[in-house]
Amino acid sequence: MKRIIITEFMDEAAVAQLRAAHDVTYDPKLVDDGARLHAEAAGADAIIVRNRTQVRGELLVSLARCQVVGRLGVGLDNIDVAACEARGMRVIPATGANALSVAEYVIAAAMLLLRGAYRSTDAVASGGWPRNALSNGRELGGKTLGLAGFGSIGQFTSRLARALGMEVVAYDAMLGPNDPVFAAAGVACVGLDDLVARADVVSLHVPLVDSTRNLFGAERIGAMKAGAVLINTARGGIVDERAVAGALRSGRLGGAALDVFDVEPLPAQPHFEGCPNLLLTPHVAGVTRESNERVSSLVTAKVLEALR
């Protein structure tokens, strides 16, 4: 019997499956108790994390006997993959398991921000009737969606968008312009500058690495189509948050949805207060009841296999 620690929330059925085979410590708050986390890590044969647990540095040293790192998600910027592999630790992300959840978030956010009519409940309930003010919203159909990153989540998003009548263009630094994935999806491969200039909605699906940090700063946001919408469900460091706030206030951006931030949990940010057409959510685009079940089930199966 091996020892498994789970540092953040996981589907209970998957936890029970792990417990049926091994000794499991499951505490969704373990990530916030550094001393206990390191003590538990010392005896762990496997660790399962989400995005907040930093599997690097001191924690990695504590994981002296660990064989496998299960990631309940797809981003790996919180895990020193090279160092893990050098220690013989297998890193297992839940590739593809939350793609639908993120794709639906992107489409829903785009609809909300383009239409601009879904925040009138308080006004209408209190006797107001802001019909004229809310009659200039925009339809999603016929608009261009630009996907910066065309992996599994970008591809899923393109399917939903095209089904709703959007034209889709995509950029991916890891794929050649003639890669068959673009033709198969009915998506035009373009350069990033072209994408930014053409898209009514820009959605980000790239990893956070040195080359993508502040990829969307003030200059690139300023090059976006006037009134366009920016959606970031990838990683916070890809976007300059102050530049987004400034572009919303100036009217250059027509809307923005940010689900991820450079610092999480996000401390109070005065520059966001009173920003028009801004949607902020706490890193939940990939987390639904269904996706949590899929992600947890996939990681559980692979961790159990790795520990055999």
Side-chain angles (χ1 to χ4, degrees), residues 66-255:
C66 188
Q67 302 171 45
V68 58
V69 180
R71 168 69 169 94
L72 297 167
V74 295
L76 296 174
D77 51 288
N78 61 310
I79 300 172
D80 188 338
V81 176
C84 287
E85 292 177 346
R87 290 169 171 262
M89 296 162 60
R90 182 179 170 192
V91 178
I92 301 173
T95 305
N98 65 355
L100 175 60
S101 178
V102 178
E104 287 189 354
Y105 176 103
V106 171
I107 297 301
M111 285 181 163
L112 186 152
L113 294 169
L114 286 172
R115 190 66 180 264
Y118 304 112
R119 296 178 180 175
S120 61
T121 300
D122 289 345
V124 174
S126 62
W129 199 250
R131 191 165 189 260
N132 289 339
L134 298 176
S135 296
N136 292 314
R138 293 172 286 170
E139 297 174 351
L140 195 71
K143 300 297 185 294
T144 298
L145 171 65
L147 296 168
F150 202 58
S152 62
I153 293 175
Q155 291 169 39
F156 224 123
T157 305
S158 75
R159 283 179 228 154
L160 298 187
R162 293 185 71 239
L164 291 167
M166 297 190 82
E167 177 188 357
V168 182
V169 297
Y171 161 81
D172 195 306
M174 304 303 292
L175 299 174
N178 297 317
D179 193 294
V181 70
F182 295 108
V187 171
C189 175
V190 299
L192 184 57
D193 290 341
D194 189 18
L195 181 150
V196 167
R198 290 171 57 178
D200 300 287
V201 178
V202 174
S203 185
L204 308 183
H205 302 282
V206 297
L208 178 60
V209 294
D210 289 344
S211 61
T212 62
R213 182 167 290 281
N214 285 325
L215 184 67
F216 275 72
E219 183 176 354
R220 183 154 277 128
I221 291 171
M224 289 175 64
K225 197 172 180 179
V229 165
L230 177 64
I231 302 173
N232 186 18
T233 58
R235 285 295 179 268
I238 296 164
V239 168
D240 182 330
E241 295 163 14
R242 289 181 179 274
V244 170
L248 287 169
R249 292 184 192 281
S250 71
R252 178 69 194 180
L253 270 183

Side-chain angles (χ1 to χ4, degrees), residues 3 5 35-45 47 58-66:
R3 181 112 168 79
I5 61 171
R36 184 173 164 231
L37 173 59
H38 291 131
E40 295 284 359
D45 298 289
I47 183 170
E58 188 178 346
L59 179 58
L60 194 54
V61 172
S62 297
L63 291 164
R65 59 185 261 187
C66 188

